[in-house]
Amino acid sequence: MPKALRTKHSLAIRWFHWINFPVLLVMIWSGLLIYGANRVYRIGVGDWTLYAFDTAFAERFNLRFRLAEGMAWHFTFAWLFVLNGAAYVLYLVFSKQWRHLAPGRGALKGAWRVFLDDLRFRRNAPEAEGYNSAQRFAYSGVILLGVLSTVTGLAIYKPVQLSWLTAVFGGYQSARWIHFWITGLFVLFIVVHVLQVIRAGWNAFRAIITGKEVVEES
Amino acid sequence: MSRDPDFEQEVRRVSRRSFLWGGLALGGAVGVWQAILRSPRSDGMLAPLRAVNGFNGALWQRMFREGAQAPTFEPSLAGARFNGDIGLRSPLNLADWRLRLEGLPGGERLLTLDDLLALPRTEQTTELMCVEGWSQIMTFAGVRMTDLLDALGSPTIPPFVGMETPDGRYQVALDAASALHPQTLLAYEMNGRPLEPRHGAPLRLAMPVKYGFKQIKRIGRIRFTERPPLDYWHARGYDWFAGL
């Protein structure tokens, strides 16, 4: 069968993606430097703790006594994160490319089938044109994470001037907790995303650099 | 499987161009990162970051709404948490303590604690937010900054306020709007009792519109100035405005 090059990602999408990647890493790292001054979060229920992000964790990753540094980086790169993210969302809206990402009817069931297929439980992922249902949930969900991390961030940043926003997230400590775990979900997204790209192979990775993918023409 | 040399070449051409751009972008990003890391420090913060954080502070200072108030709580929820004794380590004789006020029309004033106790008393239960990330609901009682200034006949003040401990070792700088916020108190009571020494006896600042590090304990001197006064934590890399 003859092969052809087909445009997969527009130039704008590729810039948004590759600007966001290092900026998000700086946001996560500087956020951890801030968190390192108040090491209170853990995964657990009641007395039972699966994993604690405690002093030992902070020391392993050199997060302690770097609060001023962390805040300085965080509130500088927050501008890039928000402006790039806002430009991305506006681009999706005006180019109508949001249709490629939004989960459609029956997407929940489809995503579950893709998930089972990915884990090798069953081989019955539905055929999809463009992104499959699981990808649609992941890529729409990560936009939602970006919005939530921005508004919870503002709720923590200005809890008096924007006290109504802080109240929406259940108060100051609650907003901090949500902000921290949104970061956890971002990290989870990045890990799964990178593993899936590795699994999909060179054609998928090349497409986010060149914009083109090689397809077989029927 | 047949290979199409023209097609393979086309793929390579498109890829080469894009990867070249990608390499340039990566180099640019690393360059920016290195440039920030190697820049000189301005008041303990890397200069480019200080510039953006200074812009953030100026932006929020312009958007600061005196009408926006910190949420208040039931006094029964109040507790205490101690953190930091810079400026409190020198001995202090409470009987000799005076609050020195400088920079107001009419010259320097010295006030005793009784002078302050005679002014209108305001009590409020708000959440003190530490820059470290913890917070503590506390009840403070004292004199509103605006009530003190009214009593002194100076309802308007210069753009900056500087406060320091009697030994001069701890200093905070404030913008006038935050100092004149209705929840900014010169507090002499905490949780229904006279201030303890480690919480700043005899007089401390309680202002929920700023992080705890601006809420100086054991105030000895207040200066009203045209230029930004010294600020202990700003000199050590923290944000100047530090407004919430």
Side-chain angles (χ1 to χ4, degrees):
Chain A
M1 263 188 295
K3 291 179 176 177
L5 276 178
R6 186 172 68 180
T7 300
K8 187 178 184 189
H9 305 298
S10 66
L11 183 63
I13 292 285
R14 284 176 276 148
W15 274 111
F16 292 139
H17 176 273
W18 287 115
I19 290 171
N20 189 59
F21 173 61
V23 169
L24 184 57
L25 289 189
V26 171
M27 289 306 283
I28 293 172
W29 165 72
S30 58
L32 286 172
L33 293 182
I34 295 171
Y35 147 85
N38 188 38
R39 306 165 296 281
V40 291
Y41 303 120
R42 68 191 178 110
I43 303 171
V45 179
D47 290 338
W48 177 76
T49 299
L50 177 68
Y51 189 82
F53 296 92
D54 54 7
T55 302
F57 168 84
E59 275 170 355
R60 186 171 315 131
F61 294 100
N62 189 23
L63 306 174
R64 293 192 72 192
F65 310 115
R66 298 177 73 181
L67 174 60
E69 189 187 354
M71 293 177 85
W73 284 100
H74 209 67
F75 302 134
T76 299
F77 277 72
W79 281 107
L80 297 176
F81 179 73
V82 170
L83 291 175
N84 186 59
Y88 171 62
V89 169
L90 287 175
Y91 175 81
L92 286 181
V93 170
F94 285 106
S95 70
K96 301 208 163 50
Q97 289 190 35
W98 62 270
R99 290 173 184 165
H100 301 168
L101 300 183
R105 229 180 302 159
L108 211 56
K109 206 170 170 183
W112 179 244
R113 284 169 65 188
V114 172
F115 180 69
L116 291 180
D117 190 275
D118 280 353
L119 294 179
R120 310 291 156 109
F121 286 136
R122 264 199 242 161
R123 309 257 57 172
N124 71 342
E127 281 292 318
E129 183 62 27
Y131 289 129
N132 68 41
S133 298
Q135 286 175 303
R136 283 166 185 263
F137 272 112
Y139 295 141
S140 313
V142 83
I143 295 172
L144 189 66
L145 285 186
V147 172
L148 272 177
S149 66
T150 304
V151 284
T152 52
L154 280 169
I156 299 167
Y157 188 47
K158 297 292 159 188
V160 174
Q161 293 291 306
L162 304 175
S163 60
W164 58 271
L165 187 64
T166 313
V168 166
F169 295 105
Y172 187 65
Q173 290 303 329
S174 170
R176 289 182 65 94
W177 185 90
I178 296 169
H179 195 71
F180 182 83
W181 288 112
I182 284 170
T183 310
L185 292 176
F186 263 124
V187 172
L188 184 69
F189 173 87
I190 293 169
V191 169
V192 174
H193 181 58
V194 169
L195 286 176
Q196 292 283 42
V197 170
I198 291 170
R199 216 173 63 115
W202 180 247
N203 198 26
F205 180 71
R206 185 177 50 198
I208 196 65
I209 310 269
T210 66
K212 312 274 189 204
E213 62 179 344
V214 175
V215 291
E216 295 189 346
E217 286 186 326
S218 49
Chain B
M1 187 136 163
S2 68
R3 291 171 68 90
D4 180 348
D6 286 348
F7 177 73
E8 300 281 330
Q9 204 174 7
E10 168 70 2
V11 172
R12 271 201 297 277
R13 193 184 61 79
V14 168
S15 299
R16 194 159 44 232
R17 196 184 50 197
S18 293
F19 275 88
L20 210 62
W21 272 108
L24 283 175
L26 182 65
V30 171
V32 169
W33 176 257
Q34 288 294 326
I36 296 175
L37 284 179
R38 285 175 192 172
S39 58
R41 283 173 185 270
S42 161
D43 294 304
M45 193 191 287
L46 293 166
L49 305 182
R50 174 63 82 193
V52 178
N53 278 263
F55 170 78
N56 291 346
L59 184 70
W60 282 103
Q61 195 173 337
R62 287 186 75 93
M63 287 167 35
F64 184 82
R65 297 172 300 138
E66 282 173 52
Q69 300 224 348
T72 55
F73 301 84
E74 285 296 314
S76 61
L77 295 172
R81 182 161 171 169
F82 167 74
N83 192 43
D85 67 347
I86 302 157
L88 307 183
R89 293 167 199 158
S90 321
L92 177 75
N93 183 348
L94 282 177
D96 295 341
W97 177 87
R98 297 288 183 277
L99 176 64
R100 180 187 295 268
L101 293 157
E102 298 169 16
L104 292 176
E108 189 182 306
R109 324 278 168 88
L110 285 176
L111 301 180
T112 63
L113 189 55
D114 284 338
D115 292 336
L116 294 164
L117 288 166
L119 293 171
R121 178 180 183 279
T122 300
E123 185 172 309
Q124 68 192 23
T125 304
T126 50
E127 190 173 6
L128 182 145
M129 281 126 184
C130 179
V131 72
E132 291 174 359
W134 55 268
S135 58
Q136 175 65 54
I137 295 172
M138 298 172 109
T139 300
F140 286 107
V143 184
R144 269 198 192 114
M145 195 68 176
T146 50
D147 287 340
L148 172 66
L149 290 167
D150 284 346
L152 295 172
S154 306
T156 59
I157 54 171
F160 298 102
V161 184
M163 300 192 187
E164 57 184 52
T165 52
D167 64 6
R169 297 229 168 113
Y170 194 77
Q171 321 88 18
V172 300
L174 304 170
D175 55 291
S178 299
L180 297 177
H181 188 274
Q183 290 175 310
T184 297
L185 301 187
L186 294 168
Y188 42 69
E189 271 180 38
M190 189 184 104
N191 297 342
R193 300 174 56 179
L195 271 179
E196 292 170 39
R198 64 185 192 143
H199 286 295
L203 193 72
R204 68 169 289 170
L205 193 59
M207 53 183 317
V209 298
K210 298 281 187 192
Y211 279 121
F213 73 79
K214 291 278 191 183
Q215 301 181 36
I216 180 175
K217 299 168 180 175
R218 199 195 274 186
I219 306 169
R221 184 165 76 136
I222 302 179
R223 287 183 299 152
F224 299 90
T225 60
E226 296 296 330
R227 296 179 53 78
L230 197 60
D231 186 283
Y232 184 89
W233 287 112
H234 173 248
R236 287 160 179 78
Y238 285 85
D239 183 36
W240 187 89
F241 185 64
L244 296 170

